[in-house]
Amino acid sequence: MITVLLVDDQHLIRQGLKTLLELEPDLEVVGEAANGKEAVEFVETLQPNVILMDIRMPLMDGVAATREIKEKFPQIKILVLTTFDDDEYIKAALQNGAMGYLLKDTPSEELAVAIRAVHRGYTQLGPGIVKKLLTQFPANTSTQSSSPPPTLTELTKREKEVLRLIATGANNREIAQQLYISEGTVKNHVTNILNRLELRDRTQAAIFANSFSSYLEDKD
């Protein structure tokens, strides 16, 4: 069972999230906090596996709460869920330890999948968030003109296709639909890509793909 703490200053949002998540047999909402200060206090007693953290809140915002919680309890995973996609919020949240950043229009089934992924240690970013991050690593930087790592040549044609789609922010389901393969096959490809390129997560894979995009093009 994955225990979840909801942190949002809007009661209706918290109640809606709780109702949706309680439909998932492996997710349990163990508490709710209306601001970052409450979140920090509740974490000490509840010790949730994953925190769904809003950004803009009174008393203490989500970024400050994330930083404080990760300093005290580094094992707890934090997934930002907010309406704000400002570059500074995204950068600050991830730099202070958040494992993911999603917008509140994320479908409920995808949110549940993201919570499970974050619990396993994988970064989860919404499609628009990935694109915003990639703008901070423009394709014309020195990495683009430099030679790619030798391990890049070890990727199969299909793995390169998957990597290109990761760079667009596509999730496993979307990749499977575009390539007409199963989600399980996509997952295996992603694992192989991360292992061969020695990357930590999908965020690093997206940045890598953007940096060496010309080497991933299908030249057949």
Side-chain angles (χ1 to χ4, degrees):
M1 184 69 69
I2 301 173
T3 56
V4 181
L5 172 64
L6 305 178
V7 186
D8 196 293
D9 61 334
Q10 297 185 48
H11 177 72
L12 288 177
I13 295 293
R14 297 198 307 273
Q15 287 302 300
L17 287 171
K18 183 177 181 180
T19 299
L20 290 172
L21 296 181
E22 286 183 340
L23 296 175
E24 303 294 331
D26 60 333
L27 302 180
E28 179 185 5
V29 176
V30 294
E32 302 174 33
N35 55 65
K37 187 173 184 296
E38 285 188 0
V40 173
E41 295 171 354
F42 290 172
V43 163
E44 297 191 13
T45 55
L46 298 175
Q47 293 287 301
N49 299 129
V50 177
I51 299 174
L52 279 188
M53 181 77 74
D54 194 11
I55 286 292
R56 278 190 178 178
M57 296 179 290
L59 300 181
M60 179 184 289
D61 66 24
V63 172
T66 295
R67 179 172 59 251
E68 188 165 337
I69 290 170
K70 293 301 290 185
E71 287 176 352
K72 295 180 179 179
F73 307 98
Q75 78 280 6
I76 293 177
K77 307 299 193 302
I78 298 177
L79 174 60
V80 172
L81 183 66
T82 182
T83 57
F84 303 100
D85 63 351
D86 305 59
D87 292 358
E88 289 305 312
Y89 282 140
I90 298 169
K91 183 178 179 182
L94 296 176
Q95 286 182 336
N96 283 282
M99 288 289 294
Y101 199 108
L102 300 177
L103 299 182
K104 287 181 178 177
D105 59 0
T106 300
S108 58
E109 62 273 14
E110 292 186 17
L111 177 59
V113 170
I115 291 173
R116 297 184 186 102
V118 164
H119 180 246
R120 294 195 301 269
Y122 294 99
T123 300
Q124 294 293 295
L125 300 173
I129 306 305
V130 171
K131 292 177 182 177
K132 280 179 172 290
L133 285 176
L134 292 180
T135 62
Q136 301 180 35
F137 298 87
N140 61 356
T141 59
S142 59
T143 54
Q144 178 66 38
S145 59
S146 62
S147 299
T151 51
L152 181 58
T153 62
E154 297 178 8
L155 298 184
T156 65
K157 180 180 178 180
R158 178 65 85 190
E159 287 168 349
K160 289 180 180 179
E161 291 175 335
V162 171
L163 184 53
R164 286 200 299 269
L165 290 172
I166 289 176
T168 69
N171 58 34
N172 285 358
R173 180 181 301 176
E174 293 166 335
I175 293 174
Q177 291 173 344
Q178 292 192 51
L179 298 182
Y180 301 101
I181 57 180
S182 70
E183 286 188 57
T185 300
V186 174
K187 183 177 179 181
N188 290 336
H189 284 318
V190 172
T191 299
N192 290 338
I193 290 167
L194 297 181
N195 288 338
R196 287 177 180 171
L197 299 180
E198 298 182 349
L199 301 173
R200 185 182 66 248
D201 51 41
R202 295 173 77 101
T203 304
Q204 286 192 347
I207 294 171
F208 178 96
N210 185 67
S211 298
F212 297 106
S213 58
S214 63
Y215 296 98
L216 295 174
E217 296 175 0
D218 185 1
K219 297 181 173 59
D220 293 341

